[in-house]
Amino acid sequence: MKAWIGLMSGTSMDGIDAILVSFSGQTILVHATHTTTYPDDIRRRLYNLSQNRGTPDDVGELDHAVGSLFALAAKTVIDKSGFPASSINAIGSHGQTLRHHPDSSAPFSLQIGDPTVITERTGITTVADFRRRDLAAGGEGAPLVPAFHEAFFSCAGESRCILNLGGIANITHLPADTNEPITGFDTGPANALMDAWCMDQTGRAFDEDGAWAEEGEINQALLSDLLSDAYFSRQPPKSTGTEKFNLEWIKTQLRRHPDLSGADVQRTLLELTAVSVAQQLPQSPGTTIFACGGGAKNRILMRALQRTCSPARLASTDDLGLDPQWVEPAAFAWLASQTLSGKPGNVPEVTGAEGKRILGAVYYA
């Protein structure tokens, strides 16, 4: 049996999810999972770099440090699985995004987490740097998970939407007619703004289960100002990140609303996620939305999405056989398998690339 490892750390910068999987037809077999939490100092330095606060030395040092943590996560998930390392075909490592600027005059997307360190410490071929080939072909370099969604979650006769609620939210629409092209894009913030505001106001890395947001009330005037950002009405292909939707973006918006309580702001940020997703959903009757990512565990956010996305049915990728936390790591394990098989991993209709491309760079063991 061919086994693959996927390593993922998203825009929330909270840690590394590692999964060891194998694929059989449209079935994903999960053999082991593991999460490595970033030490506080690493997370702080990563966030500072993502906001252009740091030096080239910081980039180099963190590239090595994060690569070491990715390697440790891979070795730990192997140990938990009982698989010998020799049975692992390859590791697909997304890395840690520092900046994503597909719309600049010189488009780029920068991920760190040195793949040579991962290969050396695990003895396993590693595929990394998945985004830049799509960018070079004129695409956004994101989102890259729709090809995986299509391969494993599409269903003839049923319109499905896979909603990933990481730091940034993205959707993949899988039409009921499987001959129709899939679509997908980043809708805007999911957890990124709520996490940033929670840390700034309470010192906690995130608002567990939306408990703090539940204490507040939606401020319609602030919500209207937030939704007026041009990103939400921009037509796809499009992608974004914390270089745009960050704490400073919130504080700039709050200059017109200086007297709101912290909980009211948090509740309004949660509503922003729910409304911005709902406004950009494809209008296909009978669509079922399958949520994944960390936000799928936020009870208050899921309740808000159920309201804003109605009449679409809201479910979880659990219903499709894969826990919401492990969809993206599994996707990068699969993308590594695509790369080593010489098959493309992007969807041009999603990213805007000139065509299908084999993604990633391979670091052979």
Side-chain angles (χ1 to χ4, degrees):
M1 178 184 295
K2 291 185 176 181
W4 308 83
I5 290 175
L7 302 175
M8 178 71 200
S9 182
T11 48
S12 294
M13 295 184 172
D14 49 1
I16 303 154
D17 285 331
I19 191 168
L20 195 154
V21 293
S22 54
F23 305 109
S24 177
Q26 272 196 303
T27 301
I28 304 164
L29 303 174
V30 178
H31 303 291
T33 60
H34 177 73
T35 297
T36 296
T37 302
Y38 281 138
D40 289 344
D41 65 318
I42 294 290
R43 185 177 188 183
R44 174 182 52 78
R45 292 177 69 192
L46 285 170
Y47 179 77
N48 285 339
L49 277 178
S50 75
Q51 302 305 308
N52 273 337
R53 298 193 292 267
T55 67
D57 282 352
D58 291 320
V59 177
E61 291 169 7
L62 282 172
D63 187 35
H64 184 275
V66 171
S68 299
L69 289 169
F70 270 63
L72 177 60
K75 292 172 72 174
T76 303
V77 82
I78 292 170
D79 290 343
K80 290 173 73 170
S81 73
F83 279 56
S86 59
S87 69
I88 311 301
N89 285 266
I91 295 168
S93 176
H94 173 270
Q96 178 63 66
T97 298
L98 289 184
R99 302 285 284 180
H100 181 71
H101 272 302
D103 300 321
S104 69
S105 57
F108 72 93
S109 188
L110 175 61
Q111 287 76 40
I112 63 170
D114 190 346
T116 65
V117 171
I118 300 173
T119 299
E120 283 295 323
R121 297 196 180 178
T122 62
I124 299 170
T125 295
T126 300
V127 187
D129 195 16
F130 287 95
R131 299 193 183 277
R132 291 203 293 176
R133 182 65 193 275
D134 186 87
L135 279 158
E140 294 273 323
L144 294 182
V145 289
F148 172 79
H149 294 160
E150 180 181 33
F152 293 98
F153 297 149
S154 61
C155 179
E158 181 180 0
S159 174
R160 292 178 171 180
C161 182
I162 311 301
L163 169 61
N164 178 54
L165 297 165
I168 298 298
N170 58 67
I171 59 174
T172 303
H173 180 227
L174 305 170
D177 182 350
T178 54
N179 292 316
E180 292 183 14
I182 70 171
T183 56
F185 53 92
D186 289 350
T187 60
N191 301 309
L193 296 181
M194 291 186 284
D195 289 352
W197 183 249
C198 189
M199 173 61 77
D200 183 69
Q201 296 292 302
T202 72
R204 300 193 305 271
F206 65 99
D207 180 16
E208 186 171 358
D209 203 26
W212 187 39
E214 191 174 24
E215 296 174 8
E217 296 183 359
I218 301 166
N219 184 278
Q220 293 295 338
L222 173 59
L223 179 62
S224 178
D225 283 350
L226 298 174
L227 286 167
S228 70
D229 190 284
Y231 183 83
F232 298 116
S233 57
R234 186 178 133 197
Q235 293 301 301
K238 61 179 181 177
S239 58
T240 190
T242 56
E243 49 282 321
K244 175 175 178 59
F245 293 110
N246 52 41
L247 184 62
E248 291 308 309
W249 186 83
I250 300 170
K251 291 186 174 180
T252 298
Q253 302 287 344
L254 286 176
R255 289 172 187 165
R256 295 182 57 190
H257 310 274
D259 300 323
L260 297 181
S261 73
D264 285 351
V265 174
Q266 186 75 351
R267 181 64 185 86
T268 306
L269 292 173
L270 184 147
E271 188 71 5
L272 170 67
T273 294
V275 172
S276 60
V277 166
Q279 288 181 345
Q280 297 175 79
L281 283 175
Q283 299 303 307
S284 295
T287 296
T288 299
I289 303 166
F290 295 93
C292 60
K297 298 182 179 180
N298 183 323
R299 176 177 52 89
I300 306 305
L301 176 57
M302 291 294 285
R303 193 165 70 192
L305 284 163
Q306 183 66 79
R307 170 174 46 81
T308 60
C309 295
S310 179
R313 184 174 75 89
L314 182 64
S316 156
T317 55
D318 263 328
D319 297 333
L320 300 176
L322 189 57
D323 183 288
Q325 181 175 347
W326 303 109
V327 173
E328 280 203 302
F332 281 89
W334 180 79
L335 284 169
S337 75
Q338 289 290 100
T339 300
L340 292 180
S341 299
K343 297 177 181 177
N346 66 335
V347 179
E349 294 86 355
V350 169
T351 66
E354 294 174 1
K356 293 184 177 182
R357 297 291 188 268
I358 300 169
L359 304 180
V362 182
Y363 300 82
Y364 289 100

